Amino acid sequence: MVQDWTLLSDDLQLALAHAALRRAADTIAAQAEVLAAEMENGGLIDRGGPDALRLLAQVVRVHGEGNMAAGGHA
């Protein structure tokens, strides 16, 4: 296992960073979906939250996909 990030090639650093960002976006989106379901099921007070959380989840997914496909920065 490489102990120093700087020993990795630029391409590998970029690929790892993109993978980490994608995983983070997936985690945020999944948690938003879980919270939305929890509100719908009565576990949390619903003040319009489920729709807002689902919108957040979709924005995170779409924005992340667009940036990763275009090689842009998140």
Side-chain angles (χ1 to χ4, degrees):
M1 187 164 136
V2 176
Q3 298 296 319
D4 187 355
W5 174 262
T6 60
L7 296 177
L8 301 174
S9 70
D10 288 346
D11 286 341
L12 186 53
Q13 286 181 16
L14 187 60
L16 289 171
H18 279 195
L21 287 171
R22 179 77 254 142
R23 184 167 182 174
D26 288 343
T27 300
I28 291 167
Q31 288 301 310
E33 293 282 356
V34 168
L35 285 171
E38 207 43 49
M39 286 178 190
E40 286 179 335
N41 294 329
L44 296 170
I45 296 172
D46 176 2
R47 295 186 180 136
D51 290 337
L53 287 166
R54 287 202 176 89
L55 177 60
L56 169 64
Q58 194 60 29
V59 167
V60 167
R61 287 185 182 120
V62 168
H63 182 69
E65 289 170 6
N67 278 329
M68 295 306 128
H73 303 287

